[in-house]
């Protein structure tokens, strides 16, 4: 049955793809935007996180809220100002939505919040991690802990809340994959650091389908690792990209010190790795992946 989905962060890479999927399935989509804009077949409501303002009509019309808003983790070097922006953009936006839901009559059935596998720490090696694994203690882990607590403000209102700890999202519209693909296309591809750090990946279409099912299926509640079934090493990912593109890998691995020179503290997110398992999705839901294996996922995205 058609429903109205309100998306924060709807202009981002995942938000745009999610909007297309929802419209294709006959749903109504509205997004929250800081500026007035026109998007075909989408209703745009304004909000201002700094001023604590949101158009109440956005809340009044929504059946489900998908919360994707947040400054990009890997878009810029981690200066103190950027780190504060990464934190504030997630926590203050969720708190604003919580206040709006608290202050307005609504019929919102569920709230699905983006989260991240950075919760477990920047580099946990090959230790399998599930939803019950402990939090890390670095910057990203701190961000995710506070991020998830902000989403709990909505759960405390009795609204079914799902938090999706998302891995590396594979898409050519943004994120990590274009940065990995470009040097391979140019014949200059190479694993990063040791190449043995694990990448817990998911195809963007599977992630969007997870958002939809998490919103509409009442059995989903709490924290889920939104990753594919099989993490791979950075070296294996690079080799698979080269295989799909029919390119050789002739350069040595990019040393960690060079990455640190370029990225600063952000290098920890590039050189670190996590072996994250989708335990709850696999064991507790009916969700089925379109792209459970890496090679078909890359062929879909690159060819």
């Amino acid at each position: 049955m058609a429903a109205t989905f309100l998306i924060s962060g709807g202009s981002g890479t995942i938000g745009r793809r999610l909007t297309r999927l929802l419209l294709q399935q006959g749903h109504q989509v509205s997004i929250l935007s800081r500026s007035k804009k026109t998007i075909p077949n989408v209703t745009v409501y304004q909000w201002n996180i700094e001023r604590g303002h949101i158009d109440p009509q956005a809340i009044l019309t929504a059946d489900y809220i998908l919360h994707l808003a947040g400054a990009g983790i890997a878009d810029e070097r981690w200066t103190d100002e950027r780190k504060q922006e990464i934190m504030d953009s997630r926590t203050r936006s969720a708190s604003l939505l919580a206040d709006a839901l608290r202050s307005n009559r609504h019929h919102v059935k569920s709230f699905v919040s983006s989260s991240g596998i950075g919760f477990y720490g920047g580099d946990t090696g090959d230790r399998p991690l599930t939803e019950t694994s402990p939090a890390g203690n670095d910057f990203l882990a701190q961000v995710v802990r506070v991020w998830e607590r902000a989403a709990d403000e909505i759960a405390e209102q009795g609204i079914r809340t799902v938090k999706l700890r998302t891995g590396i999202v594979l898409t050519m519209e943004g994120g990590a994959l274009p940065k990995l693909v470009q040097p391979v296309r140019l014949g200059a591809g190479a694993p990063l650091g040791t190449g043995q750090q694990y990448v817990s990946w998911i195809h963007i279409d599977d992630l969007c389908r997870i958002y939809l099912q998490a919103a509409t299926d009442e059995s989903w509640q709490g924290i889920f690792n939104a990753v594919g079934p099989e993490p791979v090493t950075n070296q294996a990912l690079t080799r698979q990209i080269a295989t799909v593109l029919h390119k050789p890998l002739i350069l040595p691995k990019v040393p960690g010190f060079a990455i640190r020179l370029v990225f600063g503290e952000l290098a920890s997110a590039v050189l670190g790795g996590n072996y994250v398992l989708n335990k709850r999705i696999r064991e507790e839901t009916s969700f089925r992946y379109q792209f459970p294996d890496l090679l078909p996922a890359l062929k879909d995205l690159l060819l």
Side-chain angles (χ1 to χ4, degrees), residues 68-120:
L68 309 178
I73 296 291
D75 291 353
E76 300 177 19
R77 287 175 69 97
W78 285 353
T79 62
D80 289 344
E81 291 78 10
R82 181 60 177 177
K83 288 165 75 172
Q84 193 63 50
E85 183 182 3
I86 288 171
M87 181 76 77
D88 289 348
S89 64
R90 287 159 171 76
T91 57
R92 294 174 67 182
S93 58
S95 292
L96 177 55
L97 286 166
D99 288 342
L101 287 163
R102 198 179 292 115
S103 305
N104 293 279
R105 295 178 62 186
H106 63 81
H107 55 270
V108 172
K109 300 180 178 70
S110 67
F111 178 83
V112 183
S113 176
S114 177
S115 181
I117 61 172
F119 173 88
Y120 304 108

Side-chain angles (χ1 to χ4, degrees), residues 150-194:
D152 289 339
E153 293 182 46
I154 291 168
E156 289 164 2
Q157 298 182 42
I159 298 170
R160 182 173 59 83
T161 297
V162 180
K163 292 170 276 191
L164 298 178
R165 289 180 183 159
T166 307
I168 303 300
V169 182
L170 297 187
T171 171
M172 286 303 291
E173 295 183 20
L177 188 59
K179 297 179 178 69
L180 295 171
V181 166
Q182 185 178 20
V184 176
R185 286 194 194 277
L186 297 173
L192 303 178
T194 67

Side-chain angles (χ1 to χ4, degrees), residues 235-255:
Q235 179 169 285
L237 173 58
T238 307
R239 285 177 175 169
Q240 292 276 43
I241 292 170
T243 296
V244 172
L245 297 177
H246 303 290
K247 295 287 186 178
L249 290 180
I250 57 176
L251 295 181
K253 298 181 179 74
V254 180

Side-chain angles (χ1 to χ4, degrees), residues 186-199:
L186 297 173
L192 303 178
T194 67
Q196 297 309 302
Q197 66 271 34
Y198 273 94
V199 178

